[in-house]
Structures are given as C-alpha cells and as structure tokens.
C-alpha cells in the first residue's frame, strides 16, 4: 500500500497483532475499506484474523438503511459472515449481541461531529465491554474535516441524547474516532486499544471516499454538515430527499433570492445560489421548496456561522424551530439562540470560547500532535 495508512491497514501489515484475540467481531459498514476498496471484513479474513460476526451502526452493516434505521441483512454478501446491528439499543441488548466474543474491532469513518451517531454506538460498545470483559480495538481513520474545533459542548446534562452522549465534546470536536473513543472509555471506566492512522488531520488525498451514511455522498457534504445539519431543528428542509443533502436548504414560500443575499453578504466560504427543489422524502416531501444551493468557493469555510445564518434567516422567513432538537444539536438552551443572524453570530463568540476550552481539556486523550502544540 502507498500513501498514509489507516489503522486497518496497519493491522493488515502486521496481522500477528491479532494473535490471542480469540473470537473477533467487527463493527463496520461500507466506509470500512482499504485504499483499493476491499471491505475490511474481507481483508481481515485474508490476513487470517478470526472474524466470526459483523456488526453495524445506524444504517446497518451494508449501509442500506435510511436515517434512523438499521436493517439487518442477516449475512454479509462479501465475507459470508453473519451480521447484527448495534443501533440505539439498551445496554442489555448491546451486551447480549456481543456476548461470546473476545475482541471487537471497530472500523468506521466518523465525520468529526458530536451528533453523528457512530460515536454513540461506540459508547454503547464500551459499556458492554466493561460488563463482558471484552477487548475493544479501534482501527483509527482520519477525521475528514480535520482538527478544527467549532461550537460549544453540551451545556446541560439534560441535553444528552443519542445525538450527544457526552458533554465533553464541542459540536465540531476536532478528534479522530480513536481519540473520541478514548474520551468515552475514560467516562465509562473501561479499557480500549487504538491502532493509529497516519495523517489524521483531514482526508487522505487520493483515497476513495465511500459514504459512511446515505446523506454524506462526498466531502463537500461532509464539510457543510456540522452547520447545515442545524436546519434539522426547523420545519425546513436540509436537503434530505434530494441529490444535494446538506447543500440545498429551504422551505415552501421562502424568498430564495433574499436568503441567498443574506448568506452572500457575509464571508462564510460559500456562494449561495437561489434554488428551487422538491424533496422526495423527509420534510416537505412532494412539496416545492425555495431556498439556496451552497457552492464551495475554495475559501476557508466558516461552517457554524453558515449554519446559524441559514437557521435564523429561515426562521425569520417563517420556519418554526423545534427547541428540544435545537439544544440537543447545538448544545445550548434554545431560548439563548437569537432569532436574527447578526445576534446569533454575536452569541456564537461565547459558544466558541466554551468549545475551545473544552477541546483543550481533552488534550490527555490526543493520539496525534496538533499544529502549534509545544509538546
């Protein structure tokens, strides 16, 4: 293999590391592949790692599930292994599905955002591992949106949910999955091993992108996701059910040119084009929506200011907020989120400071040096 290696590829280069691991399971999905697109389960089988079962997070082992779904195919077509899912289960259900294993490997592309649910499934696995005496090994991969931190941590315990299982992480946390898992393992008082990746800060150039979930088909979507996902907390469309999820936002009756002008008068790293679309699924399915398409300009992206600008501008245009979902996603009380773009961006200054402080407190869990870090 050439170029930077993932944790999977480090293990494949030295499969003797798996000696003594006993009966091995693998938590993965279509994003778990080698640089030549061989599924991790198949590559590990060829290397002699004794896999006995595969497990999937949200969307399932084969990635076929819609948001909030985790279908179980029963058998993985590529490896021939039996499958199970570990999505949004009770602690007892998770432990029951992992019983009989000695080691669980985790090979998933995470996208660097607190509310992406693969983190939550890893937390559930760690809880089960403590009860079962199970070894957990993260095969680490790069954070595709890099080490930049944006947004606050969850400010109150009651904001915790399956889209935010810990108060330790800023919204855009700037960690790899292996580093997040170290944070969660400390909270759950259990052990964890991580096989590190090379070049963890951003996606490896030349490595194929396999969508880790249905609505993140390319890296542009991934970079916009931490901001435009806030639209989930409105009765407006974040582009689900279109060919451009998280790049199209809008709702019926919105003044599309005015929304585009509101975004474009700020230096947010995108150009907003007035757009009209009809989602086939999710919010406003079958209804004509007006809004914007976001175009990458190559300038530095200010993703959370973008998300707040869109959220508040759509709200001013008549979209209704869901306060409970907003505070679970953003992490602050919904009544402290202003309803105008200028006021929201002013409030963001304080939220950013809280996120920066939280990020520095996680330094003991870092596996990789950061730019400017003196250690």
């Amino acid at each position: 293999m050439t170029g930077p290696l993932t944790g999977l590829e480090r293990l494949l280069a030295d499969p003797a590391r798996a000696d003594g691991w006993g009966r091995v399971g693998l938590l993965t999905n279509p994003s778990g592949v080698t640089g030549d697109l061989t599924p991790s389960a198949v590559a590990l089988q060829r290397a002699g790692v004794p896999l006995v079962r595969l497990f999937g997070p949200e969307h399932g082992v084969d990635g076929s599930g819609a948001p909030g779904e985790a279908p179980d195919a029963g058998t993985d077509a590529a490896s021939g292994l039996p499958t199970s899912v570990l999505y949004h289960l009770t602690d007892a259900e998770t432990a029951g599905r992992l019983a009989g294993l000695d080691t669980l490997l985790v090979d998933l592309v995470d996208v660097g955002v607190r509310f992406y649910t693969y983190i939550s499934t890893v937390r559930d696995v760690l809880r089960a591992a403590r009860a079962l005496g199970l070894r957990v090994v993260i095969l680490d991969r790069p954070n595709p949106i890099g080490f930049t931190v944006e947004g606050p941590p969850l400010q109150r315990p009651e904001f915790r949910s399956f889209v935010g299982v810990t108060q330790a992480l800023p919204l855009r946390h700037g960690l790899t999955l292996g580093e997040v898992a170290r944070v969660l393992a400390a909270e759950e008082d259990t052990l964890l091993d991580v096989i590190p990746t090379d070049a963890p800060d951003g996606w490896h150039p030349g490595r194929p992108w396999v969508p880790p979930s249905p609505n993140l088909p390319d890296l542009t979507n991934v970079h916009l996701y931490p901001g435009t996902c806030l639209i989930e907390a409105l009765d407006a469309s974040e582009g689900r059910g279109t060919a451009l999820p998280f790049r199209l936002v809008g709702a019926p009756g919105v003044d599309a040119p005015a929304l585009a002008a509101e975004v474009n008068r700020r230096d947010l790293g995108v150009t907003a084009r007035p757009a009209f679309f009809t989602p086939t699924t999710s919010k406003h399915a079958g209804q004509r929506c007006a809004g914007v398409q976001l175009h990458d300009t190559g300038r530095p992206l200010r993703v959370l200011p973008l998300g707040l600008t869109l959220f508040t501008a759509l709200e001013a245009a008549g979209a209704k907020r869901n306060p409970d979902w907003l505070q679970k996603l953003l992490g602050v009380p919904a009544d402290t989120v202003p309803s105008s773009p200028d006021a929201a961006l002013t409030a963001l200054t304080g939220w950013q400071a809280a996120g920066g402080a939280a990020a520095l407190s996680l330094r003991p869990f870092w596996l990789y040096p950061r730019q400017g870090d003196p250690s």
Side-chain angles (χ1 to χ4, degrees), residues 113-117 162-164 171 225-226 229-230 328-330:
V113 184
R114 182 185 60 232
F115 43 70
Y116 202 62
T117 65
F162 202 72
V163 294
L171 186 154
Y225 174 71
C229 191
L230 296 180
K328 286 176 178 176
L329 292 177
L330 186 55

Side-chain angles (χ1 to χ4, degrees), residues 92 103 162 185 273 306 352 368:
T103 301
F162 202 72
R273 178 187 65 82
L306 172 63
Q352 292 282 55
Y368 313 98

Side-chain angles (χ1 to χ4, degrees), residues 14 74 87 156 192 221 257 269 321 334:
D14 183 17
Y87 173 60
R156 296 181 183 175
L192 172 78
N221 297 71
R321 72 168 65 180

